[in-house]
Amino acid sequence: MPDEGTISWREVLVETESRLVGSGHDRATAVREARWIVEEASGSTSVGELDVLATVRGMVHHDAMVERRLGGEPLQYVLGRWPFRTLDLMVDRRVLIPRPETEVVAGLVLDEVDRLAAGRDPVVEPVLVADLGTGSGAIGLSVAVERVGTRVWCTDVSSDALAVARANCAGLGSPAQRVTVAEGPWFDALPVDLRGRFEVIASNPPYIAPDEDLPVEVLDWEPSRALFSDDRGMADLRVLVNGAWDWLAPGGALVLEMAPDQTGLIAELAQTAGYVEVSVCRDLADRDRALVARR
């Protein structure tokens, strides 16, 4: 790439698009990704700012990002951040990339929070929420930011993932005061004195079968521990359904993300375990994606 003072960011954008197309990206994807990379490198927030000349520091950052993307690294990791609902989350290889289907799950959690908060002052009596296997903190931190009357526990078995979640929590400002980040497998991360007091327990657990084919970009870059689960991808889902019963308050809800072909079996498991008002909810692509089961 040319040096500082010889090319505008708009020209860099055109050249970046060309490089991405040349590496096999379709044009629409190349245009979109080139724009994100150039905006990140230049710090631009408007179209007009792209007419300024590129800086040396910006070009070094830009070139490094382009090389990483051309090497197959997911764009979200290349940028180091990704939007999720109202949040701008830090993400890297220690955590799964936040996806639209999980935004839908977060919305279901918020619906349950609203149901439980009705008729009481949630600031005085906050709704207690657990986001188990939190990863980047996407679900739990969204709840803390979007509903002031909540107290949220974000847990994960991975200390690496929790480092990312803590960084994201630190960027929340005052909502961070209502978030506790704790390490441990599933319910082991929660304090015993809160058993039977959580009003919403949510999770986007590993739910992919170990022998399932995945895109190379997912398989080679995202943490396998957060992707795969035994028993055709349902081992962790079963643990959560069976374990949540003892941790939920009467009337509380369990909200789980899963694969479309798992929803029927997990819904049956929840009903057998004694949950009521068990429902399967669809994602933005109109596929069965989440379970809501009330105690």
Side-chain angles (χ1 to χ4, degrees):
M1 284 290 186
D3 293 330
E4 179 176 7
T6 64
I7 188 172
S8 71
W9 282 114
R10 189 176 302 280
E11 293 171 294
V12 173
L13 177 62
V14 172
E15 188 168 345
T16 304
E17 291 173 5
S18 179
R19 292 181 69 185
L20 291 174
V21 170
S23 71
H25 288 65
D26 65 82
R27 179 156 293 279
T29 300
V31 168
R32 185 170 60 251
E33 294 195 359
R35 182 58 180 266
W36 281 328
I37 288 172
V38 168
E39 287 181 348
E40 178 68 21
S42 65
S44 63
T45 57
S46 68
V47 174
E49 292 180 5
L50 295 178
D51 291 320
V52 302
L53 295 178
T55 62
V56 168
R57 177 177 295 183
M59 286 307 302
V60 168
H61 186 31
H62 168 274
D63 290 351
M65 286 192 289
V66 171
E67 288 304 317
R68 289 169 64 187
R69 187 67 187 109
L70 294 178
E73 186 170 354
L75 177 70
Q76 294 88 342
Y77 294 159
V78 170
L79 297 175
R81 59 187 179 84
W82 200 245
F84 183 90
R85 295 182 64 88
T86 66
L87 303 176
D88 188 23
L89 292 172
M90 166 191 164
V91 292
D92 59 28
R93 293 187 66 175
R94 293 173 289 181
V95 296
L96 292 181
I97 294 167
R99 290 177 167 83
E101 49 264 41
T102 307
E103 293 194 29
V104 172
V105 174
L108 295 171
V109 175
L110 292 169
D111 289 343
E112 292 303 307
V113 168
D114 292 341
R115 175 180 67 84
L116 291 155
R120 75 194 208 203
D121 184 346
V123 176
V124 176
E125 189 184 356
V127 177
L128 190 59
V129 179
D131 174 17
L132 306 183
T134 193
S136 64
I139 295 175
L141 299 185
S142 290
V143 171
V145 168
E146 296 186 47
R147 297 295 186 272
V148 296
T150 55
R151 182 80 174 82
V152 181
W153 281 73
C154 292
T155 76
D156 207 292
V157 70
S158 167
S159 58
D160 286 339
L162 286 182
V164 177
R166 286 191 178 97
N168 283 321
C169 184
L172 297 185
S174 60
Q177 299 173 12
R178 294 182 283 101
V179 178
T180 300
V181 179
E183 183 176 346
W186 303 130
F187 304 98
D188 291 352
L190 302 174
V192 175
D193 63 322
L194 292 181
R195 184 187 294 268
R197 294 174 56 189
F198 281 94
E199 293 177 275
V200 184
I201 295 176
S203 183
N204 172 20
Y207 58 76
I208 297 173
D211 59 352
E212 186 171 334
D213 290 331
L214 292 176
V216 172
E217 197 170 273
V218 174
L219 191 60
D220 287 355
W221 293 94
E222 298 196 58
S224 60
R225 192 177 194 177
L227 291 169
F228 299 108
S229 186
D230 293 332
D231 186 21
R232 296 171 293 164
M234 291 185 288
D236 291 295
L237 287 164
R238 292 182 185 277
V239 169
L240 289 162
V241 169
N242 291 325
W245 182 269
D246 290 335
W247 288 89
L248 282 170
L254 175 65
V255 183
L256 299 175
E257 180 176 328
M258 62 195 70
D261 62 354
Q262 297 168 338
T263 55
L265 290 171
I266 299 302
E268 289 180 11
L269 176 63
Q271 290 167 340
T272 301
Y275 292 89
V276 296
E277 298 180 73
V278 177
S279 58
V280 173
C281 304
R282 293 181 175 271
D283 61 20
L284 297 175
D286 200 31
R287 298 169 298 188
D288 290 344
R289 179 61 63 183
L291 177 85
V292 177
R294 295 172 181 164
R295 191 187 190 292

